[in-house]
Each structure stands twice: as structure tokens, then as C-alpha cells.
Amino acid sequence: MPYFIAFMMLLFATPALNAAPSEYVMPAEPKVWHQQDLKNYIDASNIINITVNEQPLDVLFQTYMNATKRGIAIILPDIGHSLLSSNGSQFLQQALADDGYDTYVLPSPAVLFESLEIPDFTQEQQPNPFAKAVFFQSESMLNEYKNELAARFQALTQELSKMPDEHIVVIALGTSAGVFAELISEQPQLPVDALVTISAHLPHPKRNKDLAATFSLVSPPLLDIFYSNDGPAVTQSISNRKRWAKRNSKYDYRQRELFGLSHELRQHQRLRKEVNGFLSHL
């Protein structure tokens, strides 16, 4: 009997599971989540603030932790990835700081989904309806992303206290790598002494096809890293990148393949070894 009484008291004291909430709270935007994560997991001394188009922007920073400073490394995460992404950018920030670089992780611009080119499904004269199910980002979206990335990069470089003999190295991942390669081929005056791309591609068929030739027009030395399990947008253009580099006499082009998955054991260490070996020859 005492157990029955205790059970009944607990039952009536517990609110109904299907009771309607008093009010609904809208989920926070991803930008708010990212800012809260930075405050919770990153020390305030490792966050610097720059102004881009009259808007504040948080950038991760780590000072070099080596006897000799080797330069400045600016890391550009892939599109849609946060500053705390585990795809290699956060590891490289710490590793390159230990190797003698002041490291800066520049957040990627927001994805502008409203600029997507949506096929017209009302058109019935298409012979193959299955081909219309493939979506790509539009030219205008990539151009907007590139312009915003260029503005952020310019704002950051203007804030850097660079010594005359210091090197500025850019390490870009994914779509950011493809976009920045286009940017630096169009503006060779950008203060970049070396470029490292990781799984570089562009989510647009023609632009991605032209990326092989774009790589051969990049002025600074270029290290092109890809994983053996990367998507077709990366792996199918690898051979053409070497061919275009040979055609345009880009002798400082290097290409390295990392076998296996990007998150495999010791894979980040292999990535660090390739990057550090390339930069040691500058």
C-alpha cells in the first residue's frame, strides 16, 4: 500500500506529457550558435575582431609557439563550416602555430540559398526528366561568395602587423579553396606568398571544369592536396590540373594525395606533414 500511495502522488504531481506549452521559442540562428560556441570553448585572447563592410567579424587567432617565427598562416574553412570545424582547419591552426606561424582562421561567408538556380519543372519538352534533378549553385551565388570572401581577406590583411620579410600563407578548404584560387588568379597583387588548397572544387559544372586551368594561373607556389575518397568534383579534375600546370609552365605546382578517409587515425598528422614540408621550401 505505501508503494501505491507514493506512485499515485508522483503521477498527479507530474504534468501531462501532452500538455500544450505556454509559448513556443523559435530556434536560434546558426550564427548565434557559433558565437556561443566560441565564447564557451575558445579563450577571449584567441579571438580578434575585424570590421568587414561596417560589420564586426570574429576571427580565431593563435600566436606562434616556436623559437623562430616563420610567417603568417590564414586558414579559410569550407563553405558552411564553422570556425570549430573538425575537418582539419582547427587542427592546422594549432599545428602551424607550433611550427612557427601566427595563425588566423577566417570564417566563411554565409550561403545565399536564395540565389540558387532552380530548374523549371513545368517544361515538359525535356527528353530526360531525371537530368533535371541535379542542382548546382548559381554563378551569381559563387560571385557573391567570392566578393564577400575577398572583402574579409582584405580586411584581415589590413589589420596584420606583418614584417617586411614575413611570408603570408593561405590554406583553403573545399569550395573556399576553389573560390580563392579564382580570386588570386584574377588579382595577382594580393599579398599571398603561398597557397595550399585541400579538396578544392566549385559547385558549378563549368566553373569546376575551368578550375584546372585556373590553378595554373595562380602566381604564388601552390600545393594541391586531395583525399582519395573525395567526390568526383575533385578526383575527376586532378589529372587535368597537372596537365594545365605543365602547359602553362607552372613549375611551383605540387599535388599530393592523402589515402583513406579525412577523419582516419593520424590523417591530420599526415596533412600537417605535407603542408609543413611544402612551406619549408619557401
Side-chain angles (χ1 to χ4, degrees):
M1 184 63 67
Y3 295 102
F4 176 76
I5 297 176
F7 173 77
M8 294 300 294
M9 293 177 62
L10 179 63
L11 179 64
F12 286 105
T14 304
L17 297 178
N18 58 353
S22 58
E23 60 180 5
Y24 293 95
V25 179
M26 294 297 293
E29 297 181 356
K31 181 180 179 181
V32 178
W33 296 347
H34 296 162
Q35 291 176 347
Q36 292 177 351
D37 288 342
L38 291 179
K39 293 180 181 180
N40 292 332
Y41 299 109
I42 303 298
D43 190 85
S45 61
N46 293 331
I47 301 177
I48 65 172
N49 188 268
I50 62 175
T51 302
V52 183
N53 297 327
E54 300 182 355
Q55 297 292 330
L57 184 68
D58 291 331
V59 179
L60 291 189
F61 166 75
Q62 282 198 17
T63 185
Y64 74 99
M65 299 298 292
N66 196 14
T68 304
K69 185 179 180 181
R70 298 175 58 186
I72 298 171
I74 301 176
I75 302 174
L76 308 178
D78 195 0
I79 186 172
H81 286 243
S82 68
L83 292 176
L84 301 178
S85 175
S86 60
N87 66 342
S89 58
Q90 188 180 10
F91 172 82
L92 283 177
Q93 184 196 21
Q94 178 70 51
L96 292 175
D98 293 339
D99 293 333
Y101 288 89
D102 280 345
T103 58
Y104 298 84
V105 184
L106 191 64
S108 58
V111 182
L112 306 177
F113 290 104
E114 66 272 13
S115 297
L116 290 175
E117 291 178 347
I118 306 298
D120 187 3
F121 291 97
T122 62
Q123 301 295 330
E124 299 181 355
Q125 66 272 17
Q126 297 290 338
N128 184 8
F130 298 100
K132 296 186 294 185
V134 180
F135 294 86
F136 296 98
Q137 293 173 357
S138 66
E139 291 266 15
S140 60
M141 176 180 178
L142 285 179
N143 292 334
E144 291 172 3
Y145 186 86
K146 181 165 63 175
N147 293 336
E148 178 64 21
L149 189 64
R152 297 186 178 196
F153 181 79
Q154 182 180 7
L156 177 60
T157 53
Q158 290 177 350
E159 296 289 334
L160 298 180
S161 56
K162 177 178 176 294
M163 302 297 293
D165 57 343
E166 277 186 342
H167 295 294
I168 293 184
V169 178
V170 175
I171 299 145
L173 295 87
T175 301
S176 297
V179 169
F180 195 81
E182 286 187 338
L183 181 64
I184 199 172
S185 66
E186 298 167 356
Q187 303 180 27
Q189 74 279 5
L190 290 176
V192 178
D193 297 291
L195 174 62
V196 178
T197 61
I198 303 172
S199 302
H201 67 278
L202 290 172
H204 188 279
K206 184 179 184 305
R207 296 273 283 268
N208 193 64
K209 182 179 179 180
D210 296 339
L211 190 59
T214 300
F215 272 22
S216 66
L217 302 177
V218 172
S219 298
L222 172 59
L223 173 61
D224 183 17
I225 298 177
F226 69 100
Y227 294 94
S228 57
N229 67 323
D230 276 334
V234 179
T235 56
Q236 292 182 1
S237 65
I238 290 301
S239 59
N240 281 337
R241 296 178 190 180
K242 291 191 293 187
R243 295 174 63 203
W244 275 101
K246 182 178 180 181
R247 173 177 175 175
N248 290 337
S249 302
K250 183 166 179 56
Y251 300 114
D252 52 6
Y253 172 82
R254 299 291 183 271
Q255 188 180 102
R256 295 292 184 270
E257 179 178 2
L258 296 179
F259 296 94
L261 301 174
S262 60
H263 58 272
E264 284 184 0
L265 183 65
R266 307 291 296 176
Q267 191 69 285
H268 287 345
Q269 285 76 4
R270 299 186 188 103
L271 175 62
R272 176 186 184 180
K273 180 180 178 181
E274 295 293 346
V275 173
N276 202 9
F278 174 74
L279 298 181
S280 63
H281 293 286
L282 296 181

